[in-house]
Amino acid sequence: QVQLVESGGGLVQPGGSLRLSCAASGRTFSSLNMGWFRQAPGKEREFAAGITRSGGWQYYADSVKGRFTISKDNTKNTVYLQMNSLKPEDTAVYYCAAGSGTGSLTRGSSYDYWGQGTQVTVSS
């Protein structure tokens, strides 16, 4: 079992920045691929960013590419999502996910464990 705890969400003005953190426990963190997904009100959950177990490869949704950066610190068992130039359409609950398989990191089915989510609201 893997436990995931997100933090760092909040209210930010358009154009602002936030950094989300996800602390993992229960399994060797370096063996896990990690991802961030988000779900806006009335919409389906969607992929935002993913990173391979070594941290060597990152993947982004087109909607966040160039604004969001995912990173993984295997010494701290933590994955981060740095979000810059935030827009109102980035408003959502953001979920951290972990998986050890070989499927595409852009798909929710590739992840075995999910956090509870953290709310991000972008509004003036």
Side-chain angles (χ1 to χ4, degrees):
Q1 285 288 350
V2 175
Q3 292 77 44
L4 302 172
V5 179
E6 303 100 334
S7 61
L11 173 64
V12 63
Q13 292 186 343
S17 298
L18 279 176
R19 188 176 80 157
L20 305 183
S21 300
C22 174
S25 61
R27 185 168 174 173
T28 303
F29 188 68
S30 60
S31 70
L32 297 170
N33 300 315
M34 302 296 295
W36 287 98
F37 288 73
R38 65 186 186 181
Q39 187 168 19
K43 296 187 177 181
E44 293 186 353
R45 184 182 65 193
E46 65 175 9
F47 168 77
I51 190 166
T52 54
R53 52 180 59 85
S54 68
W57 292 92
Q58 301 88 42
Y59 302 87
Y60 298 96
D62 288 343
S63 58
V64 308
K65 199 172 296 182
R67 300 187 299 119
F68 290 11
T69 302
I70 187 171
S71 60
K72 188 175 188 270
D73 189 336
N74 286 337
T75 66
K76 296 183 178 179
N77 290 359
T78 301
V79 63
Y80 304 97
L81 185 67
Q82 178 67 44
M83 305 185 295
N84 299 328
S85 301
L86 283 161
K87 305 175 181 180
E89 50 264 44
D90 294 317
T91 295
V93 177
Y94 283 71
Y95 297 92
C96 174
S100 57
T102 58
S104 169
L105 296 190
T106 66
R107 297 183 177 181
S109 59
S110 297
Y111 298 89
D112 305 303
Y113 306 99
W114 295 82
Q116 293 299 307
T118 185
Q119 177 70 47
V120 172
T121 302
V122 184
S123 175
S124 54

